[in-house]
Amino acid sequence: MMSEEKFYQNIREQMFSYAPEVPERVYTGMRRKYAVGKFFQWNLSTFNAWYLSALVLISGATVFGWGAQEVTADRGLNNGFELMEFSTSTASVYAPALQAPACKEQKVCSNEGTCTTNIKKTCTAKDTPTPAIMENVITTPLSEESIQVTNVEAEEAVPQPIEEVQAPIETPIQKKKAKDRKLAVPVLKDNK
Amino acid sequence: MEEVKSLIDGCMKGERRSQDLLYRKYASLLFGVCLRYAKNKMEAEDVLQEVFVKIYNNISSYHHDGSFEGWLRRIAVNTSITHYRKNLKHAFQEDIDNVVFQQNDPAQFNELEYTQEEMMSCIAKLPTGYRTVFNLYVVEGFMHKEIADMLNIDVNTSKSQLSRAKAYLQKELEDISKIKTTA
């Protein structure tokens, strides 16, 4: 028999030098863990997750930045177009483009049995259906003419009173837009 | 000694060859440490992987002022304890039911020689908490106060767990010796 202390001393010695064989998979797993750890470690000298995330962020910002620019550019062009068509009160610019609709049709018959149909193309801002993009844009009367349908004593159509055109009140946003759309204005003038 | 120093320097520079050589040299030894603390071989393998990752990452903190092997062992023990703490919830669940409290006469220690494998199998049978305390006290040589701090337990808990672990181990070794003598 031996003492407790000696017994445990024996265990200590045996356990201290205990070195069993290590399976090969441990090395493979350790290498993988080490590589993953290194990849996520902050280190400027090697390519790692931080570089990758920075790369993704930059490329994402670039792509979306360009996308946003393109959208803005498209919008700018459209706005310019709007500006060109509607923000000026020059009838000659858009008169050919817009066919004035027949706003009123008058049929006047005399006592002798002759009738005259007056198609009055006097459209005011009130009469003409305004497209959505023409909001806050003042339109002017396009044209006024009477078409004789029958050849009997054509009566002159009484001209409709032209509604007073108010000067456009530009909001600060519109002013800014107008500034941004400077490109559109010269184009307009050249066409003129 | 020079060989170890060059290995350490190579590892500090991040040379893969030095890292591999270091692994080949110390893996078995550290696997033994991990096995003593782990519940099974698979767990010990996991811990050993963590140990080497820690060694590679922190080798620059070794200043050649003590035993390198001791430094490696300490990392293995600390990693094993960290692993034990992570699984602390389940550590004591089976302890009370499985352990047979049989206080043997301390003087009655068999003089039969046991192989390392036999001892390891007996230690592995100990419940996790007992095994950890036993390893720290008997093999690593820590005091109860230090063990209590490391494992976040009371000093008396550490003492009682050690005595139970000893009793359990003694019984297991006696069973082995009985088998040996009958054979």
Side-chain angles (χ1 to χ4, degrees):
Chain A
M1 294 291 162
M2 61 171 133
S3 69
E4 185 184 358
E5 189 51 47
K6 201 178 173 191
F7 177 75
Y8 289 117
Q9 178 66 33
N10 191 18
I11 289 180
R12 188 180 297 129
E13 280 167 12
Q14 290 223 34
M15 289 296 99
F16 225 75
S17 57
Y18 181 57
E21 198 180 325
V22 186
E24 194 55 37
R25 63 172 178 271
V26 177
Y27 176 77
T28 319
M30 182 272 293
R31 270 282 153 208
R32 196 179 55 241
K33 276 185 185 175
Y34 181 64
V36 170
K38 275 276 169 202
F39 185 69
F40 286 102
Q41 213 172 33
W42 173 255
N43 186 1
L44 286 173
S45 60
T46 53
F47 180 79
N48 52 36
W50 301 98
Y51 272 108
L52 188 70
S53 52
L55 204 69
V56 167
L57 277 175
I58 290 166
S59 53
T62 312
V63 167
F64 284 107
W66 278 345
Q69 271 182 354
E70 275 173 21
V71 168
T72 316
D74 288 349
R75 228 180 228 182
L77 273 176
N78 290 342
N79 289 345
F81 185 69
E82 268 177 49
L83 184 78
M84 201 162 66
E85 273 204 322
F86 303 107
S87 65
T88 58
S89 57
T90 316
S92 60
V93 173
Y94 52 85
L98 292 171
Q99 290 295 320
C103 298
K104 266 184 185 176
E105 197 174 289
Q106 275 188 331
K107 198 173 185 183
V108 182
C109 292
S110 65
N111 295 334
E112 293 155 8
T114 53
C115 290
T116 307
T117 307
N118 289 333
I119 299 169
K120 191 180 70 186
K121 286 190 176 177
T122 308
C123 296
T124 60
K126 215 176 179 181
D127 298 326
T128 315
T130 314
I133 51 168
M134 288 173 73
E135 272 181 15
N136 299 325
V137 177
I138 306 302
T139 55
T140 53
L142 297 175
S143 62
E144 189 178 321
E145 58 179 325
S146 64
I147 301 163
Q148 272 197 338
V149 177
T150 54
N151 199 13
V152 186
E153 283 184 27
E155 277 187 16
E156 240 184 75
V158 184
Q160 292 290 314
I162 300 164
E163 278 191 9
E164 206 171 302
V165 177
Q166 282 186 343
I169 304 159
E170 278 190 333
T171 60
I173 297 164
Q174 280 176 326
K175 277 180 186 175
K176 195 174 177 289
K177 274 186 181 176
K179 259 187 188 177
D180 294 341
R181 297 172 205 144
K182 266 182 183 173
L183 260 176
V185 178
V187 172
L188 180 70
K189 279 178 183 171
D190 289 346
N191 287 344
K192 217 173 175 182
Chain B
M1 193 65 196
E2 277 303 306
E3 187 202 1
V4 174
K5 199 175 180 300
S6 68
L7 275 182
I8 295 165
D9 290 339
C11 288
M12 279 180 183
K13 287 173 195 162
E15 289 170 6
R16 190 176 170 139
R17 194 178 160 273
S18 303
Q19 288 176 346
D20 286 354
L21 284 171
L22 190 87
Y23 177 84
R24 303 287 167 212
K25 194 172 170 63
Y26 294 105
S28 301
L29 192 79
L30 299 179
F31 190 46
V33 176
C34 297
L35 266 176
R36 271 193 285 121
Y37 288 89
K39 214 182 287 179
N40 51 47
K41 210 175 170 185
M42 291 294 284
E43 197 181 299
E45 287 173 9
D46 276 354
V47 175
L48 183 67
Q49 288 173 352
E50 281 178 43
V51 167
F52 270 97
V53 170
K54 275 188 185 176
I55 290 168
Y56 293 158
N57 286 334
N58 299 295
I59 200 153
S60 53
S61 65
Y62 176 69
H63 302 296
H64 302 277
D65 49 1
S67 157
F68 182 61
E69 200 181 295
W71 186 76
L72 295 177
R73 271 180 189 278
R74 205 157 58 241
I75 289 178
V77 170
N78 288 342
T79 312
S80 299
I81 289 169
T82 308
H83 201 267
Y84 160 78
R85 274 199 203 138
K86 274 183 197 169
N87 304 316
L88 199 62
K89 271 184 191 174
H90 321 285
F92 293 98
Q93 277 180 2
E94 57 176 343
D95 290 6
I96 292 161
D97 296 334
N98 291 357
V99 177
V100 182
F101 301 110
Q102 187 189 344
Q103 285 291 350
N104 291 6
D105 181 4
Q108 301 288 311
F109 286 99
N110 213 318
E111 262 187 86
L112 270 173
E113 288 291 317
Y114 301 103
T115 63
Q116 283 180 329
E117 294 300 330
E118 284 168 347
M119 280 195 178
M120 267 310 298
S121 69
C122 289
I123 291 172
K125 280 178 192 169
L126 284 171
T128 313
Y130 297 180
R131 187 173 60 245
T132 310
V133 173
F134 178 83
N135 276 317
L136 289 171
Y137 188 87
V138 175
V139 186
E140 318 304 341
F142 286 105
M143 305 308 290
H144 281 297
K145 177 79 177 69
E146 293 170 311
I147 294 167
D149 289 342
M150 271 192 254
L151 304 180
N152 284 330
I153 54 171
D154 193 66
V155 175
N156 290 326
T157 309
S158 172
K159 282 178 184 174
S160 69
Q161 288 206 349
L162 177 70
S163 91
R164 286 173 185 187
K166 278 178 176 177
Y168 189 88
L169 196 66
Q170 198 181 335
K171 187 187 168 293
E172 286 293 319
L173 288 170
E174 271 176 15
D175 289 346
I176 290 172
S177 60
K178 273 177 195 170
I179 294 164
K180 272 186 174 177
T181 48
T182 52

